[in-house]
């Protein structure tokens, strides 16, 4: 193990602790102080659900005017033209109509708000804007952050002020490292025999990161051979499809079909990852459904909310397979990007095994969008 990797592993618990606490504060509607190694600092508040009074409070605490940072994709859906190569766009709240913060963050609430803003609302993106938006994403909220940059004269820069002292701190560097740290610290915490319909010889192994965050599951069917590539399905959780039997997607079919295919093959593993809605979370997936009902396809809906079309990461999957002693797989998937992602994480994909199911009247457009825009092979 190289020295740099060892240092990262040693720092993982502190990284996870800092980011999880900050994300929790944002979900409670409280601000956090974001800093970086260059000395930049800002107070950050999640835009989702933030009342105007809270924005006023943040301005008073920071002593500087508030701005709204959104992803470039969200800005485009609002009719704005982000600067070339920009990941995040910043808007001056002082120039926006009252009550607009929630609407700018959530397109399901104010579909005509784009008619009330213009390029004149754009300001130069300050340091930490991208990190602020990423932190809000990690909090499983809409990717929009209210920021109040701190300067040497800002009230909240003073360490002796009680309001400033009560604000949790997190760094840009910790946010950037969080996803890696969460994957590196996954630990097997439970292992039980769970006979399944169609696969009675199955057990479920639960993995949890050191911060106590979302657990990922490995469903092991039979006894995978050590001298041959293992049949594997990497499945992202889908509450609506897997549990409720939603017809809007093919997730339930893929989950049950994978269990059946692995059982018929004699052995294999299904990884069940806590990455609902291609990584945007259940609540945001429901918002995306609202936008789909207004005419957007599954990718456009995610992008209108401010997310990438697919926000999933596969570091946890690679870590889980490694801990299970699996380095070579035959992957049940229609998604070539998933093959590439696992390979990038050190897993050898020796074969892509097709894994598609008949469409229905409710998911036909969904499957067509995945094929034409994400390159899924059906």
């Amino acid at each position: 193990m190289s020295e740099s990797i060892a240092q990262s592993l040693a720092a993982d618990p502190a990284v996870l602790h800092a980011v999880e606490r900050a994300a929790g504060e944002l979900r409670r509607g409280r601000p956090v102080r974001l800093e970086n190694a260059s000395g930049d600092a800002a107070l950050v508040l999640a835009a989702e659900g933030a009342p105007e009074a809270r924005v006023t409070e943040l301005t008073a605490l920071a002593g500087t005017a508030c701005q709204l940072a959104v992803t470039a994709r969200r800005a485009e859906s609002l009719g704005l033209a982000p600067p070339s190569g920009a990941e995040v766009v910043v808007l001056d709240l002082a120039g926006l109509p009252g009550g607009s913060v929630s609407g700018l963050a959530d397109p399901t609430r104010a579909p005509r708000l784009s008619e009330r803003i213009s390029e004149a609302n754009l300001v130069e993106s300050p340091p930490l804007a991208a990190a602020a938006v990423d932190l809000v994403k990690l909090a499983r909220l809409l990717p929009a952050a209210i920021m109040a940059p701190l300067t040497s004269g800002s009230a909240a820069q003073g360490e002796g002020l009680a309001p400033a002292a009560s604000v949790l701190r997190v760094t840009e560097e910790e946010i950037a490292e969080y996803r890696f740290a969460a994957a590196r610290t996954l630990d097997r915490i439970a292992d039980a025999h769970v006979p399944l319909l169609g696969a009675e010889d199955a057990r479920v192994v639960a993995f949890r990161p050191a911060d106590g965050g979302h657990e990922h599951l490995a469903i092991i069917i039979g006894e995978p051979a050590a001298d041959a590539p293992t049949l594997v399905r990497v499945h992202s959780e889908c509450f609506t499809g897997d549990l409720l039997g939603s017809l809007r997607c093919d997730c339930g079919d893929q989950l049950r079909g994978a269990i059946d295919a692995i059982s018929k093959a004699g052995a294999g593993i299904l990884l069940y990852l806590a990455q609902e809605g291609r990584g945007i979370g259940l609540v945001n997936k429901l918002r995306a459904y609202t936008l789909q009902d207004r005419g957007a396809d599954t990718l456009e809906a995610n992008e209108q909310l401010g997310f990438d079309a697919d926000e999933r990461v596969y570091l946890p999957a690679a870590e889980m397979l490694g801990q299970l002693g699996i380095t070579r797989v035959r992957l049940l998937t229609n998604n070539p990007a998933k093959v590439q992602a696992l390979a990038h994480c050190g897993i050898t994909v020796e074969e892509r095994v097709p894994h598609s199911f008949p469409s229905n009247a409710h998911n036909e457009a969904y499957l067509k969008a995945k094929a034409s825009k994400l390159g899924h092979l059906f």
Side-chain angles (χ1 to χ4, degrees):
M1 180 182 292
S2 70
E3 182 180 356
S4 61
I5 293 176
Q7 288 174 345
S8 295
L9 287 170
D12 284 345
V15 166
L16 295 174
H17 182 68
V19 176
E20 277 293 325
R21 289 186 69 199
E25 289 290 276
L26 293 181
R27 288 181 63 83
R28 295 180 182 92
R30 293 174 55 85
V32 298
R33 175 172 170 142
L34 177 58
E35 305 171 341
N36 64 17
S38 300
D40 301 303
L43 293 184
V44 175
L45 187 69
E48 181 177 335
E52 292 299 311
R54 187 57 56 88
V55 178
T56 301
E57 292 173 3
L58 192 69
T59 299
L61 178 61
T64 57
C66 286
Q67 301 168 331
L68 180 68
V70 299
T71 64
R73 291 189 181 279
R74 179 69 186 123
E76 289 172 352
S77 72
L78 289 166
L80 301 173
S84 178
E87 295 181 359
V88 169
V89 170
V90 178
L91 304 170
D92 179 10
L93 285 184
L96 296 175
S100 62
V101 172
S102 295
L104 286 169
D106 187 354
T108 67
R109 287 180 171 269
R112 295 186 179 86
L113 190 61
S114 59
E115 300 172 2
R116 302 165 62 189
I117 63 174
S118 68
E119 305 292 333
N121 298 118
L122 295 176
V123 297
E124 183 178 354
S125 182
L128 302 174
V133 171
D134 199 24
L135 179 60
V136 177
K137 279 187 182 182
L138 290 173
R140 304 187 309 283
L141 299 171
L142 287 167
I146 300 168
M147 297 181 60
L150 299 176
T151 65
S152 57
S154 298
Q157 279 288 78
E159 296 299 326
L161 296 178
S166 66
V167 176
L168 283 176
R169 298 185 180 211
V170 65
T171 69
E172 179 180 38
E173 293 76 16
E174 288 167 335
I175 294 168
E177 189 63 19
Y178 177 82
R179 292 177 180 85
F180 299 97
R184 281 193 297 259
T185 62
L186 282 174
D187 188 29
R188 296 174 64 162
I189 58 169
D191 186 335
H193 176 234
V194 183
L196 305 176
L197 182 65
E200 294 187 21
D201 183 16
R203 73 182 202 268
V204 177
V205 181
F207 292 80
R208 179 188 292 158
D211 62 345
H214 299 297
E215 289 96 1
H216 305 287
L217 305 175
I219 301 170
I220 304 173
I221 298 172
E223 296 293 336
D227 59 350
T230 302
L231 184 61
V232 169
R233 166 71 183 165
V234 179
H235 187 90
S236 297
E237 68 179 354
C238 177
F239 172 80
T240 51
D242 297 342
L243 185 60
L244 302 182
S246 169
L247 299 176
R248 296 190 71 137
C249 62
D250 60 343
C251 301
D253 291 336
Q254 289 191 329
L255 174 63
R256 289 176 283 277
I259 292 172
D260 182 63
I262 293 171
S263 180
K264 288 179 178 177
I269 298 174
L270 188 150
L271 299 182
Y272 197 79
L273 303 183
Q275 298 192 126
E276 180 87 38
R278 294 200 299 274
I280 69 174
L282 176 59
V283 172
N284 287 321
K285 183 177 79 171
L286 295 177
R287 290 175 171 136
Y289 282 167
T290 297
L291 297 178
Q292 289 173 39
D293 289 340
R294 294 177 184 172
D297 65 32
T298 180
L299 282 73
E300 293 166 346
N302 279 23
E303 292 169 353
Q304 287 176 23
L305 288 170
F307 295 98
D308 290 335
D310 192 336
E311 292 272 349
R312 289 174 294 182
V313 295
Y314 294 98
L315 292 167
E319 177 64 25
M320 293 163 71
L321 289 172
Q323 291 193 31
L324 294 171
I326 306 298
T327 59
R328 301 160 56 220
V329 305
R330 298 171 57 238
L331 190 65
L332 279 163
T333 186
N334 305 312
N335 185 359
K338 192 178 290 186
V339 175
Q340 298 169 4
L342 282 182
H344 183 71
C345 295
I347 301 298
T348 300
V349 182
E350 297 200 358
E351 180 187 0
R352 184 190 71 82
V353 181
H355 192 58
S356 59
F357 300 87
S359 63
N360 61 62
H362 301 279
N363 70 11
E364 186 174 7
Y366 163 82
L367 295 177
K368 286 182 178 179
K370 290 209 298 185
S372 63
K373 294 188 175 183
L374 289 177
H376 287 213
L377 304 172
F378 295 105

